[in-house]
Amino acid sequence: MADVAAAAGVSGQTVSRVVNASPRVDPETRARVEAAMAQLGYRPHRAARALRTGRTDTIGLVVSTLATVGNSRMLEAVAAAASRRGLSVTLIALTERRDVADAFERLHELGVDGAVVLNEASAIAEGVTPPTGLALVAVDSPGGSYATVQSDHAGGAEAATRRLLDAGHRSVAHLAGPASSFAAAERERGWRAAHLDAATAPLVRGDWTAASGYRAGTELGADVSAVFAANDQMALGLLRALAEAGREDVAVIGFDDVADAADYRPPLTTIRQDFDALGEAAIAALAATLDGAAPTQTVVPTTLIARASG
């Protein structure tokens, strides 16, 4: 660090501020210090800095599956947000509830500063006490002693359902996600809130996959004129089943706004989740928790994207 300071013509404290991404360095000086670091091959020593600061600049990500779009997009968004803050990421995948405590202990032993528990893994982790000192943020969770981050699932689902009802449909069927999923339950809650009497509207349940959407589509009665699907993958299978049955007049709205939604046949009207904002919110909540802030519950707005299907 002293060599970098001499090469850049600044103090050692200024080099330290650049290394630690402090905003108290003007851009020209920062560029000069970074050029000196590159020229001299300087790299911060993570282990030494961890001993000094008590932080390893490493976080854990806990997932149950990456087969669904929501999970994979959230993983990508959280990892990108962590990278922008100079944080390294350790990934642990769960298969069963009994794995959760072991996962938390392993992350604690690895010395991570904290962990983000993603989507369905949050339900698996519910009620499991993490080791002392392991800060947690859960994505899509009812909350508790840790911070939570979620999309406005219920608000988006209600907006989708109201759009179909306002278009003149007497009722809107719901292709729901798994009963164990917090996001699915919230989307079902929004669908019910849009109806005066949701008990009269059909509900079939899938498992987030296009195959389950196809099966659900074959179960819906002939009197169904509109369907709100809890995610775009199930909506894709549903559209195929409807087309095969000659029911291309049925209006369909999905949830997520996957990359291919505009290329469905017909192009899919859907509720867009802002995964980048969710990732930033999760990392910000984890940073605040590490700094001693009380747990917060962050809800990120959703947006209805109108296309031809509904």
Side-chain angles (χ1 to χ4, degrees):
M1 192 174 286
D3 292 340
V4 172
V10 299
S11 68
Q13 186 179 41
T14 298
V15 176
S16 178
R17 286 173 178 164
V18 171
V19 168
N20 290 290
S22 169
R24 298 170 58 192
V25 183
D26 69 76
E28 183 180 343
T29 301
R30 183 182 302 278
R32 198 162 69 247
V33 170
E34 289 174 345
M37 290 167 62
Q39 179 185 353
L40 296 172
Y42 174 82
R43 295 290 184 275
H45 194 293
R46 280 186 173 269
R49 186 163 63 182
L51 288 172
R52 186 178 72 254
T53 65
R55 301 276 180 89
T56 63
D57 290 341
T58 302
I59 66 167
L61 293 183
V62 181
V63 301
S64 60
T65 177
L66 293 176
T68 62
V69 171
N71 277 12
S72 59
R73 290 284 303 277
M74 272 307 306
L75 173 64
E76 180 182 29
V78 173
S83 178
R84 285 191 288 272
R85 291 180 180 241
L87 303 175
S88 299
V89 171
T90 296
L91 178 68
I92 291 188
L94 304 175
T95 54
E96 298 181 15
R97 182 180 178 81
R98 58 186 169 83
D99 295 335
V100 177
D102 290 342
F104 287 164
E105 286 291 346
R106 183 180 172 195
L107 288 172
H108 191 53
E109 290 169 1
L110 289 171
V112 302
D113 296 328
V116 178
V117 185
L118 300 184
N119 305 58
E120 279 81 0
S122 295
I124 299 174
E126 191 174 341
V128 178
T129 303
T132 302
L134 181 66
L136 283 186
V137 172
V139 178
D140 285 348
S141 170
S145 60
Y146 42 80
T148 63
V149 173
Q150 69 174 79
S151 288
D152 184 7
H153 300 290
E158 184 171 356
T161 307
R162 288 195 185 281
R163 174 182 172 87
L164 294 169
L165 292 171
D166 290 345
H169 298 281
R170 199 157 42 96
S171 69
V172 177
H174 184 34
L175 172 46
S180 60
S181 166
F182 172 81
E186 285 293 284
R187 293 171 197 178
E188 182 179 335
R189 181 168 70 86
W191 166 75
R192 291 186 183 280
H195 286 86
L196 291 175
D197 183 9
T200 63
L203 184 148
V204 289
R205 197 170 295 281
D207 62 8
W208 297 131
T209 65
S212 72
Y214 177 81
R215 289 192 298 271
T218 63
E219 297 173 16
L220 291 171
D223 59 336
V224 169
S225 66
V227 183
F228 165 56
N231 80 338
D232 291 350
Q233 285 175 282
M234 291 194 297
L236 176 61
L238 171 68
L239 288 171
R240 177 191 162 202
L242 292 171
E244 288 180 357
R247 299 293 316 284
E248 297 188 18
D249 58 323
V250 177
V252 176
I253 296 181
F255 203 110
D256 282 338
D257 193 27
V258 299
D260 297 328
D263 294 313
Y264 283 16
R265 184 177 179 184
L268 185 66
T269 297
T270 184
I271 301 297
R272 175 179 292 167
Q273 293 197 76
D274 190 339
F275 289 103
D276 291 338
L278 287 165
E280 285 289 347
I283 295 300
L286 187 59
T289 300
L290 288 167
D291 288 339
T296 56
Q297 285 72 50
T298 303
V299 179
V300 177
T302 55
T303 306
L304 192 149
I305 306 299
R307 298 191 181 99
S309 72

